[in-house]
Amino acid sequence: MVSENRLSLQSLIQPIFIDERIKDPKAIESMPGQFRQSLLTIAEEAGKLEDLGVPAVLLFGLPEHKDESGSQAYDPHGVVQEAVRRIKEATGLVVITDLCLCEYTSHGHCGLVRGQEVLNDETLPLLGEAAISQAEAGADIVAPSGMMDGMVGAIRAALDLEGYIDTLILSYSAKYASTFYGPFREAAESSFAFGDRKSYQMDPANAAEALWETQLDLEEGADMVMVKPALPYLDILRSVKDRFGVPTAAYQVSGEYSMIMAAAKMGWLNENAAFLESLLSINRAGADMIITYWAEEYARLNA
Ligand code: PBG
């Protein structure tokens, strides 16, 4: 009764990968317990999550074809758009769509590139197109994750122009250039062909910059903001929540998940206790919502 904070299933969001090239669910080796779903299995999987009481999902797509400009990201019949339709038909889940080019570009970067350079401003209209196609498919919330400057403003303007005034934006506002995304890049096949993401993602040494980035996103119309990764950036989470007081999400990323799973497999950590403690600490640091690959497991434990 004297606990100051309590973890609730109501605040957890389960990420799901949907692979256009498969029929049956496929295990993700770098993330034990996680699977890629197919367009044939996604409705059933979503129904299972809904029955367990998971309130929301965050979708990532693996397209059949990638190209220089990531065109499957904004194809009205792309893999994510089709997955949204199927989930919305089958369930009442809140559907959040990751909005980025990196899973769809042949070079793996989050924007258009010229030579070795990622082109910020040229990428913005494509993000607007992607947002419209996701909203049209039925997404409740779009979540731009590419850290392009001006992306939230461009997406808000594009959505409003098409009449999607009630589609919310959850911005990955303080997203660090983190090594903890490693397992995700295998899961989503979004490794880059050259360079790194340090020209658009944040330097782990910086804290004030996170507040700047978050403020800009809010001024551009973000409804919710995010700190990512979670556990190595709890100080950032606390200051973002204290400074702005807006709905704040934290992303317990693939590397955070896989670290615990790997240690648990070795018998060095207790899986359930380690997840519960880390999720509680993220909640304590100010997260209103937590995106975690462990959401389904949490729901099952509490069923
Ligand atoms: C795409 C994106 C990434 C993640 C979410 N969206 C990878 C990256 O930026 O390299 C990482 C999620 C995770 O590690 O769980 N921009």
Side-chain angles (χ1 to χ4, degrees):
M1 290 174 80
V2 296
S3 294
E4 292 174 34
N5 293 281
R6 244 170 272 255
L7 202 56
S8 155
L9 179 56
Q10 278 313 305
S11 61
L12 302 186
I13 300 166
Q14 172 76 46
I16 309 183
F17 301 95
I18 305 110
D19 189 336
E20 201 172 20
R21 304 157 302 179
I22 61 173
K23 285 201 172 75
D24 298 319
K26 187 165 181 261
I28 299 167
E29 272 180 40
S30 57
M31 302 175 70
Q34 300 296 312
F35 293 82
R36 288 185 195 160
Q37 298 294 328
S38 77
L39 284 173
L40 300 174
T41 59
I42 186 63
E44 193 186 327
E45 172 67 15
K48 192 175 74 187
L49 291 171
E50 183 176 46
D51 291 345
L52 282 167
V54 175
V57 291
L58 170 64
L59 306 184
F60 295 94
L62 286 84
E64 187 156 5
H65 301 291
K66 301 190 185 206
D67 56 34
E68 282 277 301
S69 53
S71 59
Q72 286 303 301
Y74 39 93
D75 185 321
H77 296 289
V79 58
V80 153
Q81 290 81 354
E82 290 301 334
V84 173
R85 289 190 183 96
R86 285 163 168 77
I87 295 171
K88 277 295 178 185
E89 230 169 69
T91 73
L93 287 175
V94 171
V95 174
I96 310 171
T97 42
D98 184 81
L99 203 176
C100 193
L101 297 190
C102 64
E103 296 126 56
Y104 306 93
T105 49
S106 42
H107 44 73
H109 278 288
C110 300
L112 293 174
V113 301
R114 188 185 303 130
Q116 304 280 300
E117 214 184 342
V118 176
L119 304 173
N120 190 92
D121 293 8
E122 288 86 334
T123 301
L124 299 180
L126 301 183
L127 299 179
E129 289 291 305
I132 291 165
S133 68
Q134 293 176 348
E136 195 268 324
D140 301 291
I141 304 173
V142 297
S145 65
M147 287 296 278
M148 296 294 129
D149 294 336
M151 67 181 182
V152 172
I155 289 166
R156 186 72 269 162
L159 286 171
D160 287 357
L161 202 63
E162 292 296 318
Y164 296 108
I165 55 172
D166 291 329
T167 306
L168 302 179
I169 300 178
L170 163 59
S171 181
Y172 287 64
S173 19
K175 177 171 175 179
Y176 285 86
S178 173
T179 195
F180 289 99
Y181 307 148
F184 173 94
R185 290 177 186 163
E186 183 200 314
E189 293 180 1
S190 67
S191 293
F192 24 80
F194 61 87
D196 54 40
R197 299 211 208 287
K198 290 182 183 160
S199 69
Y200 41 104
Q201 296 182 353
M202 285 183 41
D203 181 348
N206 289 1
E209 189 187 1
L211 297 177
W212 264 100
E213 290 280 3
T214 304
Q215 182 169 341
L216 285 169
D217 282 1
L218 286 168
E219 284 170 5
E220 288 176 29
D223 300 282
M224 303 135 121
V225 298
M226 190 195 300
V227 174
K228 177 188 173 187
L231 215 52
Y233 298 92
L234 292 183
D235 57 328
I236 308 297
L237 186 56
R238 172 45 65 202
S239 36
V240 165
K241 186 63 196 176
D242 284 349
R243 171 77 68 97
F244 302 105
V246 300
T248 303
Y251 198 146
Q252 181 181 51
V253 300
S254 57
E256 296 177 68
Y257 173 85
S258 297
M259 268 196 309
I260 295 177
M261 292 304 284
K265 271 192 172 212
M266 296 297 287
W268 294 338
L269 276 181
N270 177 294
E271 176 188 331
N272 292 358
F275 273 110
L276 291 173
E277 185 175 335
S278 56
L279 291 170
L280 182 63
S281 69
I282 296 164
N283 172 275
R284 190 194 63 232
D288 302 297
M289 298 153 269
I290 307 176
I291 300 164
T292 171
Y293 298 94
W294 210 66
E296 179 174 351
E297 198 54 34
Y298 180 88
R300 211 172 268 128
L301 279 181
N302 289 277

